[in-house]
Amino acid sequence: MVVVLMGVAGSGKTTVGRLLADGLGWKFYDADDYHPPANVAKMSRGVPLTDDDRRPWLESLRDLVRDSRARGEHAVLACSALKDSYRRQLLPADEHSRLFYLKSDYDTVKQRVANRRGHYMKPELLDSQFAALEEPARVSHLDASRPPDEIAAEIRRRLGA
């Protein structure tokens, strides 16, 4: 099983993902760790990524998901996966993959991103994240303003774990 936690920057994907993976005894992967250096440099300058910028990143994440599944590994991946096309590229549509959308409002995530230290994601990039976001229709939506441990517990319940 591979679970992807999606949402805009600051929605809590990494925090919830780590809690979820720890609670399940699964591997945790943060998609931010797979951005090529050029993408990190661009975002560090406050420049939004284009689909062309994201292509190699998404390909590496697709390979990560495929390889995890081939090893029989259960994993949690924190990934923005803002567009439907990105999600289709990342996850096969089967019973061994689950997508959870950590939905949050602009003001909440702006405050969270502004309070981060040492992360390349700049608050001024939030507008582009919300502009690119295609909210998924047929996946589990979770209120990202809830405490991370509650969200992780809810996901475990929904997984039957």
Side-chain angles (χ1 to χ4, degrees):
M1 167 75 67
V2 174
V3 169
V4 174
L5 303 180
M6 65 148 299
V8 297
S11 60
K13 299 178 300 291
T14 299
T15 302
V16 172
R18 288 182 200 278
L19 289 168
L20 179 62
D22 287 347
L24 294 169
W26 293 7
K27 293 279 286 181
F28 173 75
Y29 299 100
D30 190 333
D32 286 348
D33 296 337
Y34 293 83
H35 272 295
N39 285 7
V40 173
K42 196 171 185 180
M43 288 184 285
S44 295
R45 293 190 312 271
V47 178
L49 297 179
T50 65
D51 283 350
D52 285 339
D53 295 327
R54 288 186 179 97
R55 188 169 293 111
W57 174 67
L58 287 165
E59 288 170 357
S60 68
L61 295 173
R62 180 200 59 218
D63 293 345
L64 172 71
V65 169
R66 185 193 63 228
D67 294 347
S68 290
R69 290 170 55 115
R71 290 188 301 269
E73 175 182 272
H74 296 293
V76 176
L77 172 64
C79 179
S80 55
L82 297 174
K83 293 184 178 183
D84 182 60
S85 61
Y86 303 166
R87 296 186 290 271
R88 283 194 319 257
Q89 187 174 354
L90 282 175
L91 285 177
D94 65 20
E95 69 278 2
H96 301 293
S97 302
R98 291 288 301 273
L99 179 70
F100 291 91
Y101 171 36
L102 302 183
K103 184 174 181 164
S104 191
D105 65 271
Y106 184 86
D107 291 334
T108 298
V109 296
K110 184 175 183 178
Q111 181 180 6
R112 288 178 181 175
V113 171
N115 290 333
R116 283 184 183 172
R117 299 292 173 247
H119 195 280
Y120 56 79
M121 180 67 183
K122 304 295 181 206
E124 55 268 19
L125 292 174
L126 283 178
D127 288 342
S128 68
Q129 291 246 311
F130 276 93
L133 177 63
E134 297 171 358
E135 289 193 344
R138 294 182 296 271
V139 302
S140 296
H141 290 216
L142 298 157
D143 179 0
S145 67
R146 292 173 54 200
D149 57 331
E150 287 181 17
I151 298 170
E154 176 66 22
I155 293 170
R156 283 194 306 274
R157 279 192 295 279
R158 292 185 187 191
L159 292 172

